[in-house]
Amino acid sequence: SNPPLTPSTPSSPSFVDRQVEDKIMDISSFETFLAERIKVGGKAGALGDVVSVSADKTKVTVTSDAPMSKRYLKYLTKKFLKKHNVRDWLRVIASNKDRSVYELRYFNIADQEDEEA
């Protein structure tokens, strides 16, 4: 299991450009979702100075001064995908380059269709 993030470690689920270009992911609504849902001291949305959520065109970055498990961000990301009915097309995986980063990838539907033919 992954150790909880140390206070100095920024944690960032990262999003590949394609989902944003395909209009499947709306980064600003995801940023708002995380800001409202992340719990600090047992209270959702009370980020204070402890946690910050920021976004650019294709990436949302969550920086925490308090320990926060990476798995918790994965859980919230999956919850967001389910809420927006795209959970069937996208999956959340840790980046190969940087293990503190999550990426959204499409399921390989084309591969499955080839096998059925």
Side-chain angles (χ1 to χ4, degrees):
S1 77
N2 293 332
L5 297 168
T6 56
S8 61
T9 309
S11 166
S12 56
S14 153
F15 299 97
V16 187
D17 299 332
R18 235 169 67 198
Q19 286 84 344
V20 177
E21 285 170 12
D22 291 351
K23 305 267 190 283
I24 286 183
M25 272 300 291
D26 177 18
I27 289 290
S28 62
S29 67
F30 182 54
E31 177 188 14
T32 307
F33 177 86
L34 285 178
E36 290 171 354
R37 298 291 170 93
I38 291 176
K39 287 185 178 180
V40 178
K43 292 185 180 152
L47 302 183
D49 298 331
V50 182
V51 177
S52 69
V53 180
S54 60
D56 58 33
K57 269 165 78 176
T58 59
K59 188 190 284 186
V60 174
T61 304
V62 178
T63 309
S64 176
D65 292 334
M68 179 187 292
S69 78
K70 202 174 114 183
R71 196 151 186 84
Y72 180 55
L73 290 175
K74 184 174 186 177
Y75 161 79
L76 287 174
T77 303
K78 285 179 167 181
K79 216 170 158 91
F80 176 83
L81 295 177
K82 184 85 176 131
K83 182 180 171 189
H84 292 274
N85 298 318
V86 291
R87 182 83 182 86
D88 295 340
W89 290 284
L90 299 174
R91 60 192 181 137
V92 184
I93 57 170
S95 168
N96 289 333
K97 296 182 199 84
D98 180 356
R99 300 311 276 181
S100 71
V101 172
Y102 278 126
E103 293 179 352
L104 289 185
R105 299 251 177 103
Y106 285 108
F107 282 110
N108 292 335
I109 295 166
D111 297 345
Q112 293 169 0
E113 288 171 359
D114 292 343
E115 289 169 14
E116 291 172 11

